[in-house]
C-alpha cells in the first residue's frame, strides 16, 4: 500500500490538475499471456486515466474472452475493443502495429498508450512510424495532455518534452504509476476493425523462466546479486533470503553475463526497471547502468566487501562485509 | 545463402562510462569536450554483421558486404571509421546538424535502404543517450519489413533468419524472411577491438557523404525539450556495523521488514 501512495502522489496530483481540459481519448494496448493481464498494463492504465479523458482498452488475441472480461472491469476503462484472430496468438509486431493503426484511423484517439515492456517497445514505435508521429518512450510523469517527463542517459537526466504531433504515442514506465484497481460495472465491448496485414515473421518457440517468487517489476521487495556471488549455485543464498521475506530475485549485468542467472533477471538500463520498498544489492558494485534500474527504490541496502563500491553512495544502509557470511546470518535473523 | 548486403546503423553518443552533467540553463546535457564513442548496442550490431560475413566466407556459401551508416554532424564520421576498423567494408554519412529524433533517423535510413537495397538492416536496440528504443521498429514499419528486436541469437537460413529475442520473463524464437530489420541486445555477441593496422586500413576505406536535406524527407523534430533536470539526489552512504544493526535499522527505522 505504501508503495502505491508514494508513487501516486507526484504523478496523479498533476494529472488530476489537468483533467478539466477535456478532449482527451486514449487507447490502451493491453498485454496479456496465458489468460492473464500483464501487471505493467495496469500501471499504464493509471497513466492513461491520468490524462483526464476516456480510456478505451484494446485486447487482441486468438481467444481473448477471459482477458476481455477482466479488462472490462478495470477501473477507468470505458470501452473494450476486441480483436479476435488467430493472427494475434503470439505477440508478433507486424499484425499488432497494423491493428493499432486501423483502430486509430476508425476511432481517432488522441493518445495511444502501452507499457514500456518488451511487447510495448516492440509494437508501439512501428505503429507510430506508420501514423507518421513521434513516440515518447518510458514516461514517468504526465504534465499535460502533450507534455511528459522521461529519464534519459540511464536516468542521469530527466527530460520534460512536449509533443507537437496530433497523436501522442506513449510507452509508460510501470514503476512510476500505481496499478489500476477494479470497477463495479463492466465496460461494454465491441469488435476492433479487421486487419489485412499478416505477420511476416513466424513464432517458433519460447522459453520462459518459471518461478514461484513475485515478478521482478511488481515485487515490493527485491534482492539482487552481482559478480560478487561468484557462481550460479551461490544464488541459492539469495533465494533463501528472498523466500523468507517474499522477495523477487534480480541480478546485475555482470552476474547475467557470467551465466549465474537468466538474462530476464537483469536489472538496469537495458534490463528491468524496479522500484520496490526494499532493494538489497549483494555483491554489486553499482555501475551507472545498474543504478538506472533500481535507484528509485524506497530503501536500498548494500552488502559488499569493498567499502569504495559506488553502490554505497546510493544505499540507505550499507554493510561492509563478506556476503558469504553476512547473507546467511541475515537470512537467519529475518 | 548467397550474396548478402548488410546495412548497420551506428550512432555517436557520450561514452557509457562518462558521468553526464546537465548544463546550467537546464536545457541540455553537456556534450562539449566530453568523450564520445559508438553506442554500445551498435558495436554489437557491427560485430554481428562482420561475424555473418566471416561465417559466409569460411563456409564458402556466399559473401556479405557490410555497409555502415550514421546520421548526424561531421563527427559521426569518427564512429563510422571505428566500424570500418572493426571490419565493415564501406560507410555512409548522412550529414545533418539538426536535432535528429528517432522518426527522422528512421526516415533517413529508409532513404539509404532504398539506395543500397540491403538484405538486412542491423541497429542497436536503443541508444544510451536518449534511451528511446524506437528507430529499428520505426524503420521496419516505414519499409513494411518484418522486425526481430532485442536479438540475443541469430541464425541465417536460406532467405530467412531465425532469431532468439530477449522478452520479459525469458526468450522467444521467431523466424523472419529477408529482407528484415534486426535490433541487437547485449547478449548477442562480444564486439572485437579494432587493431592498429586495421585502424590504419580503415582510413582508406570508402566513406560516402550525403546531406540529409538532399534525401527529401521530413526530419523536423516532433518533440520539443522544455527542460532537462538532474534526478533527485539520494541521501546515501550510511554504514551499519553488523547484521544485527542492519536488521534493527530495517525494522525500526526504515520499517520495511
Amino acid at each position: 500500500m505504501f508503495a502505491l501512495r508514494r508513487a501516486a502522489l507526484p504523478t496523479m496530483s498533476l494529472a488530476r490538475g489537468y483533467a478539466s481540459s477535456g478532449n482527451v481519448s486514449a487507447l490502451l494496448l493491453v498485454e496479456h499471456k496465458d489468460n492473464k493481464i500483464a501487471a505493467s498494463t495496469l500501471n499504464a492504465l493509471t497513466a492513461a486515466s491520468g490524462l483526464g479523458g476516456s480510456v478505451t482498452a484494446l485486447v487482441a488475441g486468438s481467444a481473448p474472452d477471459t482477458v476481455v472480461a477482466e479488462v472490462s472491469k478495470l477501473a477507468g476503462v470505458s470501452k473494450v475493443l476486441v480483436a479476435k484472430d488467430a493472427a494475434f496468438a503470439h505477440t508478433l509486431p507486424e499484425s499488432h502495429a497494423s491493428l493499432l493503426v486501423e483502430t486509430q484511423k476508425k476511432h481517432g484517439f488522441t493518445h495511444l498508450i502501452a507499457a514500456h515492456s518488451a511487447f510495448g517497445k516492440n509494437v508501439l514505435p512501428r505503429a507510430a512510424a506508420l501514423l507518421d508521429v513521434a513516440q515518447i518512450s518510458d514516461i514517468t510523469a504526465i504534465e499535460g495532455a502533450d507534455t511528459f517527463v522521461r529519464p534519459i542517459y540511464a536516468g542521469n537526466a530527466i527530460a520534460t518534452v512536449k509533443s507537437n504531433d496530433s497523436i501522442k504515442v506513449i510507452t509508460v514506465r510501470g514503476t512510476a504509476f500505481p496499478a489500476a484497481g477494479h470497477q463495479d460495472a463492466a465496460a461494454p465491448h465491441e469488435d476492433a476493425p479487421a486487419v489485412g496485414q499478416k505477420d511476416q515473421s513466424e513464432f517458433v518457440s519460447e522459453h520462459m523462466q518459471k518461478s514461484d517468487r513475485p515478478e521482478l517489476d511488481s515485487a515490493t521487495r527485491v534482492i539482487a546479486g552481482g559478480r560478487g556471488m561468484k557462481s550460479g549455485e551461490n544464488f541459492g543464498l539469495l533465494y533463501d533470503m528472498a523466500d523468507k521475506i517474499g522477495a523477487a530475485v534480480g541480478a546485475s549485468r555482470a552476474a547475467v553475463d557470467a551465466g549465474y542467472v537468466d538474462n530476464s533477471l537483469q536489472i538496469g538500463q537495458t534490463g528491468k526497471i524496479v522500484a520496490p520498498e526494499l532493494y538489497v544489492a549483494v555483491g554489486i558494485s553499482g555501475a551507472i547502468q545498474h543504478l538506472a534500474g533500481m535507484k528509485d527504490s524506497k530503501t536500498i541496502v548494500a552488502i559488499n566487501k569493498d567499502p569504495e563500491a559506488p553502490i554505497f553512495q546510493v544505499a540507505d544502509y550499507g554493510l561492509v562485509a563478506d556476503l558469504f557470511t553476512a547473507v546467511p546470518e541475515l537470512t537467519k535473523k529475518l | 545463402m548467397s550474396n548478402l548486403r548488410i546495412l548497420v546503423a551506428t550512432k555517436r553518443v557520450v561514452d557509457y562510462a562518462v558521468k553526464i552533467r546537465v548544463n546550467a540553463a537546464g536545457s541540455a546535457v553537456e556534450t562539449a569536450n566530453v568523450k564520445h564513442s559508438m553506442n554500445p548496442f551498435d558495436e554489437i550490431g557491427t560485430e554481428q554483421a562482420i561475424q555473418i560475413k566471416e561465417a559466409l566466407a569460411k563456409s564458402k556459401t556466399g559473401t556479405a558486404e557490410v555497409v555502415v551508416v550514421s546520421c548526424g554532424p561531421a563527427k559521426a564520421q569518427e564512429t563510422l571509421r571505428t566500424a570500418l576498423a572493426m571490419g565493415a567494408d564501406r560507410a555512409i554519412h548522412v550529414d545533418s546538424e539538426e536535432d535528429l529524433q528517432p522518426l527522422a533517423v528512421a526516415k533517413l535510413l529508409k532513404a539509404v535502404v532504398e539506395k543500397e537495397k540491403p538484405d538486412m538492416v542491423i541497429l542497436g536496440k536503443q541508444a544510451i543517450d536518449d534511451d528511446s528504443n524506437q528507430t529499428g521498429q520505426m524503420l521496419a514499419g516505414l519499409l513494411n519489413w518484418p522486425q526481430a528486436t532485442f536479438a540475443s541469437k541469430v541464425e541465417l537460413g536460406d532467405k530467412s533468419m531465425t532469431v532468439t529475442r530477449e522478452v520479459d520473463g525469458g526468450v522467444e524464437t521467431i523466424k523472419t524472411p529477408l529482407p528484415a530489420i534486426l535490433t541487437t541486445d547485449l547478449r548477442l555477441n562480444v564486439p572485437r577491438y579494432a587493431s592498429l593496422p586495421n585502424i590504419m586500413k580503415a582510413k582508406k576505406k570508402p566513406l560516402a557523404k550525403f546531406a540529409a536535406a538532399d534525401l527529401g524527407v521530413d526530419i523536423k523534430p516532433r518533440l520539443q525539450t522544455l527542460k532537462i533536470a538532474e534526478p533527485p539526489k539520494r541521501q546515501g552512504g550510511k554504514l551499519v556495523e553488523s547484521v544485527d544493526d542492519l536488521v534493527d535499522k530495517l525494522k525500526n527505522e526504515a520499517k520495511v521488514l
Side-chain angles (χ1 to χ4, degrees), chain B:
Chain B
M1 205 64 228
S2 51
N3 301 329
L4 284 179
R5 178 174 292 164
I6 306 172
L7 186 70
V8 183
T10 62
K11 183 177 185 183
R12 178 177 179 268
V13 298
V14 171
D15 188 85
Y16 73 94
V18 169
K19 189 160 175 17
I20 59 109
R21 305 167 78 101
V22 173
N23 70 7
S27 61
V29 167
E30 296 278 11
T31 53
N33 304 316
V34 172
K35 185 186 178 196
H36 282 65
S37 41
M38 194 193 301
N39 181 43
F41 291 99
D42 304 343
E43 286 186 0
I44 293 169
T46 306
E47 174 67 30
Q48 191 59 37
I50 296 164
Q51 284 187 12
I52 290 171
K53 178 181 165 164
E54 289 172 345
L56 284 174
K58 199 173 166 199
S59 66
K60 298 187 166 63
T61 52
T63 60
E65 184 190 29
V66 178
V67 184
V68 285
V69 56
S70 191
C71 305
K75 283 191 170 165
Q77 292 189 11
E78 294 168 9
T79 301
L80 291 170
R81 290 289 172 201
T82 304
L84 292 171
M86 287 173 71
D89 297 297
R90 59 189 173 87
I92 298 169
H93 174 214
V94 180
D95 192 19
S96 173
E97 296 294 330
E98 179 78 81
D99 162 30
L100 293 176
Q101 296 176 350
L103 183 61
V105 175
K107 288 180 177 181
L108 292 171
L109 292 177
K110 176 175 184 256
V112 173
V113 166
E114 281 162 357
K115 281 178 193 284
E116 292 287 333
K117 304 197 169 23
D119 303 281
M120 187 192 291
V121 184
I122 306 180
L123 305 89
K125 80 164 178 181
Q126 77 191 60
I128 60 165
D129 52 2
D130 65 28
D131 281 335
S132 291
N133 196 327
Q134 299 172 2
T135 309
Q137 297 89 312
M138 287 181 153
L139 177 61
L142 295 176
L143 290 165
N144 192 26
W145 285 10
Q147 67 192 50
T149 53
F150 328 144
S152 59
K153 192 174 165 201
V154 180
E155 284 172 57
L156 275 189
D158 187 30
K159 293 193 168 58
S160 73
M161 60 180 179
T162 302
V163 179
T164 300
R165 306 179 54 237
E166 303 259 337
V167 296
D168 299 329
V171 293
E172 143 186 304
T173 303
I174 61 171
K175 188 177 175 191
T176 293
L178 297 181
I181 303 293
L182 182 77
T183 80
T184 64
D185 214 320
L186 280 175
R187 237 66 63 180
L188 186 57
N189 60 48
V190 179
R192 68 193 67 191
Y193 289 102
S195 65
L196 189 59
N198 285 342
I199 292 170
M200 301 310 289
K201 273 186 223 159
K203 294 183 180 185
K204 296 198 177 100
K205 288 184 178 176
L207 191 157
K209 186 170 142 182
F210 296 103
D214 294 343
L215 293 174
V217 299
D218 163 25
I219 56 169
K220 281 193 302 291
R222 305 294 185 85
L223 303 178
Q224 185 188 343
T225 299
L226 302 183
K227 188 174 78 179
I228 304 283
E230 299 266 1
K233 288 263 182 294
R234 283 194 78 97
Q235 300 290 331
K238 194 197 277 184
L239 291 183
V240 296
E241 293 299 318
S242 64
V243 169
D244 285 323
D245 193 10
L246 176 60
V247 172
D248 174 66
K249 290 272 199 323
L250 291 178
K251 280 188 174 154
N252 301 315
E253 199 175 277
K255 299 189 196 304
V256 286
L257 284 178

Side-chain angles (χ1 to χ4, degrees), chain A residues 31 40 90-94 116-119 121-123 125-126 128-130 132-138 143 147 150-165 171 197 200-210 217 221 245 253 256-257 262-264 266 269-272 277-278 280 288-289 294-303 307 312-320 325-327 329-331 333-334, chain B residues 13-22 29-31 36 40-41 44 101-103 106-107 125-150 152 162 165-177 179 181 185-187 189 218 221-232 234-247 249-251 253-257:
Chain A
E31 177 177 355
S40 56
H90 300 287
T91 55
L92 292 170
E94 294 93 20
H116 193 67
S117 60
F119 173 63
K121 284 186 259 195
N122 196 25
V123 171
R126 186 175 179 108
L130 293 170
D132 193 28
V133 300
Q135 175 176 305
I136 308 108
S137 291
D138 203 19
E143 294 208 337
T147 306
R150 59 179 303 267
I152 55 174
Y153 288 90
N156 289 295
I158 309 295
T160 305
V161 295
K162 180 173 181 288
S163 166
N164 294 319
D165 283 322
T171 59
Q197 169 85 51
Q200 294 145 304
S201 315
E202 114 193 41
F203 174 87
V204 177
S205 63
E206 66 181 7
H207 179 74
M208 293 295 157
Q209 290 295 308
K210 292 271 174 273
D217 5 24
R221 293 166 178 174
I245 59 171
R253 181 186 168 190
V256 173
D257 282 353
D262 187 74
N263 301 349
S264 59
Q266 186 181 326
Q269 182 181 21
T270 65
K272 292 267 165 46
E277 292 281 283
L278 174 64
V280 185
I288 295 173
Q289 291 75 19
M294 47 64 80
K295 69 190 165 91
D296 292 328
S297 304
K298 184 169 166 279
T299 299
I300 297 174
V301 172
I303 300 174
F312 286 121
Q313 290 163 26
V314 301
D316 299 279
Y317 303 106
L319 177 63
V320 180
T325 52
V327 171
E329 189 187 344
L330 183 57
T331 304
K333 288 174 175 164
L334 287 173
Chain B
V13 298
V14 171
D15 188 85
Y16 73 94
V18 169
K19 189 160 175 17
I20 59 109
R21 305 167 78 101
V22 173
V29 167
E30 296 278 11
T31 53
H36 282 65
F41 291 99
I44 293 169
Q101 296 176 350
L103 183 61
K107 288 180 177 181
K125 80 164 178 181
Q126 77 191 60
I128 60 165
D129 52 2
D130 65 28
D131 281 335
S132 291
N133 196 327
Q134 299 172 2
T135 309
Q137 297 89 312
M138 287 181 153
L139 177 61
L142 295 176
L143 290 165
N144 192 26
W145 285 10
Q147 67 192 50
T149 53
F150 328 144
S152 59
T162 302
R165 306 179 54 237
E166 303 259 337
V167 296
D168 299 329
V171 293
E172 143 186 304
T173 303
I174 61 171
K175 188 177 175 191
T176 293
I181 303 293
D185 214 320
L186 280 175
R187 237 66 63 180
N189 60 48
D218 163 25
R222 305 294 185 85
L223 303 178
Q224 185 188 343
T225 299
L226 302 183
K227 188 174 78 179
I228 304 283
E230 299 266 1
R234 283 194 78 97
Q235 300 290 331
K238 194 197 277 184
L239 291 183
V240 296
E241 293 299 318
S242 64
V243 169
D244 285 323
D245 193 10
L246 176 60
V247 172
K249 290 272 199 323
L250 291 178
K251 280 188 174 154
E253 199 175 277
K255 299 189 196 304
V256 286
L257 284 178

Side-chain angles (χ1 to χ4, degrees), chain A:
Chain A
M1 263 334 280
F2 193 66
L4 297 189
R5 260 201 336 266
R6 178 174 52 87
L9 281 173
T11 50
M12 292 309 291
S13 57
L14 288 166
R16 276 200 205 97
Y18 183 77
S20 54
S21 313
N23 290 334
V24 166
S25 60
L27 181 72
L28 172 75
L29 178 62
V30 174
E31 177 177 355
H32 60 94
K33 189 171 172 60
D34 301 331
N35 280 331
K36 281 169 71 179
I37 305 169
S40 56
T41 292
L42 302 180
N43 307 106
L45 171 54
T46 300
S49 300
L51 291 163
S54 65
V55 180
T56 301
L58 175 60
V59 180
S62 53
D65 297 353
T66 313
V67 173
V68 168
E70 261 193 70
V71 168
S72 67
K73 291 195 135 177
L74 290 175
V77 171
S78 59
K79 188 161 74 178
V80 186
L81 294 176
V82 183
K84 186 172 176 174
D85 192 313
F88 302 122
H90 300 287
T91 55
L92 292 170
E94 294 93 20
S95 54
H96 281 85
S98 168
L99 171 65
L100 275 173
V101 171
E102 293 306 320
T103 307
Q104 173 60 25
K105 280 184 185 155
K106 183 173 172 196
H107 294 272
F109 295 99
T110 57
H111 295 71
L112 303 185
I113 298 174
H116 193 67
S117 60
F119 173 63
K121 284 186 259 195
N122 196 25
V123 171
L124 255 66
R126 186 175 179 108
L130 293 170
L131 294 165
D132 193 28
V133 300
Q135 175 176 305
I136 308 108
S137 291
D138 203 19
I139 66 160
T140 53
I142 296 166
E143 294 208 337
D146 59 1
T147 306
F148 308 93
V149 177
R150 59 179 303 267
I152 55 174
Y153 288 90
N156 289 295
I158 309 295
T160 305
V161 295
K162 180 173 181 288
S163 166
N164 294 319
D165 283 322
S166 57
I167 309 162
K168 280 67 169 163
V169 176
I170 298 163
T171 59
V172 175
R173 176 173 293 197
T175 57
F177 297 86
H182 296 272
Q183 61 192 9
D184 294 334
H189 57 86
E190 63 181 71
D191 287 343
V195 171
Q197 169 85 51
K198 291 282 174 250
D199 281 298
Q200 294 145 304
S201 315
E202 114 193 41
F203 174 87
V204 177
S205 63
E206 66 181 7
H207 179 74
M208 293 295 157
Q209 290 295 308
K210 292 271 174 273
S211 167
D212 297 333
R213 292 184 191 88
E215 278 184 52
L216 254 187
D217 5 24
S218 53
T220 55
R221 293 166 178 174
V222 173
I223 299 168
R227 197 195 306 273
M229 296 306 297
K230 295 207 171 100
S231 77
E233 291 74 52
N234 290 336
F235 263 75
L237 297 173
L238 303 190
Y239 294 134
D240 290 345
M241 176 154 69
D243 291 341
K244 198 137 180 200
I245 59 171
V249 172
S252 70
R253 181 186 168 190
V256 173
D257 282 353
Y260 302 166
V261 293
D262 187 74
N263 301 349
S264 59
L265 299 190
Q266 186 181 326
I267 293 168
Q269 182 181 21
T270 65
K272 292 267 165 46
I273 309 283
V274 301
E277 292 281 283
L278 174 64
Y279 188 87
V280 185
V282 181
I284 292 177
S285 64
I288 295 173
Q289 291 75 19
H290 183 74
L291 300 182
M294 47 64 80
K295 69 190 165 91
D296 292 328
S297 304
K298 184 169 166 279
T299 299
I300 297 174
V301 172
I303 300 174
N304 203 304
K305 65 180 178 193
D306 174 12
E308 304 298 318
I311 191 79
F312 286 121
Q313 290 163 26
V314 301
D316 299 279
Y317 303 106
L319 177 63
V320 180
D322 182 351
L323 71 93
F324 294 104
T325 52
V327 171
E329 189 187 344
L330 183 57
T331 304
K332 211 164 83 191
K333 288 174 175 164
L334 287 173

